[in-house]
């Protein structure tokens, strides 16, 4: 996919910083290339699926040009570890539990679909829907 998705965390409708050390612990075992100056990683799963990952700022991580079950499983692990949500521009916001809806900004709650997805397969279905 050439779609970009954003891993974010919210409290009281406001973005909060992600634990980037924890994020790197999840992603770096799959990294095949990177650039510390631009905070970029190219990750690859055992299924030879790839994603470009950008540590965009303190409050989000961007996945670009990604696809496949292995990358979706990696995204699911990252969301779990960071207690984060996945924002899909023009698509749903993927949350891990129903109560996470209350943490989202009003614009995400009211203007876009919100889908509960915990596994890579569920996340993949939510993005494609």
């Amino acid at each position: 996919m050439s779609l970009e998705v954003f891993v974010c965390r919210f409290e009281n409708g406001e973005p909060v910083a992600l634990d980037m050390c924890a994020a790197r612990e999840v992603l770096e075992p799959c990294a095949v290339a990177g650039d510390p100056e631009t905070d970029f990683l190219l990750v690859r799963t055992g299924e030879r699926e790839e994603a470009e990952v950008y540590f965009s700022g303190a409050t989000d991580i961007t996945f670009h040009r990604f696809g496949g079950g292995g990358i979706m499983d990696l995204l699911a692990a990252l969301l779990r570890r960071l207690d984060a949500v996945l924002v899909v521009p023009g698509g749903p916001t993927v949350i891990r539990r129903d109560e996470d809806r209350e943490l989202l900004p009003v614009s995400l709650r009211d203007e876009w679909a919100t889908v509960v997805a915990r596994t890579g397969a569920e996340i993949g279905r939510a993005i494609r829907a």
Side-chain angles (χ1 to χ4, degrees), residues 8-11 13-17 59 105:
C8 304
R9 192 162 181 268
F10 299 99
E11 290 179 6
E14 297 294 325
V16 295
T59 60

Side-chain angles (χ1 to χ4, degrees), residues 1 10 41 44 57 59-60 65 69-70 72 75 82 89 92 98-99 101 107 109 115 123-125 127:
M1 289 182 204
F10 299 99
L41 287 177
R44 184 179 298 145
T59 60
D60 71 271
R65 295 187 186 161
M72 297 304 169
L75 266 170
L82 300 178
D98 282 320
E99 54 268 21
R101 278 184 177 82
S107 60
R109 275 187 295 187
V115 177
I123 292 170
R125 283 192 295 275
I127 289 172

Side-chain angles (χ1 to χ4, degrees), residues 15-83:
V16 295
L18 295 168
D19 182 344
M20 294 302 182
C21 290
R24 288 185 182 280
E25 287 174 7
V26 173
L27 297 171
E28 284 181 350
C30 298
V32 295
D35 182 354
E37 288 186 25
T38 60
D39 275 338
F40 164 79
L41 287 177
L42 178 64
V43 295
R44 184 179 298 145
T45 66
E47 294 85 7
R48 310 280 303 157
E49 301 157 345
E50 293 184 344
E52 296 175 2
V53 180
Y54 298 89
F55 294 85
S56 311
T59 60
D60 71 271
I61 299 169
T62 305
F63 274 66
H64 182 69
R65 295 187 186 161
F66 67 96
I71 294 296
M72 297 304 169
D73 290 341
L74 187 60
L75 266 170
L78 186 62
L79 295 179
R80 237 184 343 269
R81 180 73 184 271
L82 300 178
D83 196 24

Side-chain angles (χ1 to χ4, degrees), residues 105-116:
V106 172
S107 60
L108 286 178
R109 275 187 295 187
D110 294 348
E111 296 176 27
W112 302 103
T114 305
V115 177
V116 175

Side-chain angles (χ1 to χ4, degrees), residues 88-109:
V88 181
T93 299
V94 178
I95 59 177
R96 294 182 38 251
R97 351 172 241 280
D98 282 320
E99 54 268 21
D100 290 344
R101 278 184 177 82
E102 297 306 313
L103 303 174
L104 298 173
V106 172
S107 60
L108 286 178
R109 275 187 295 187

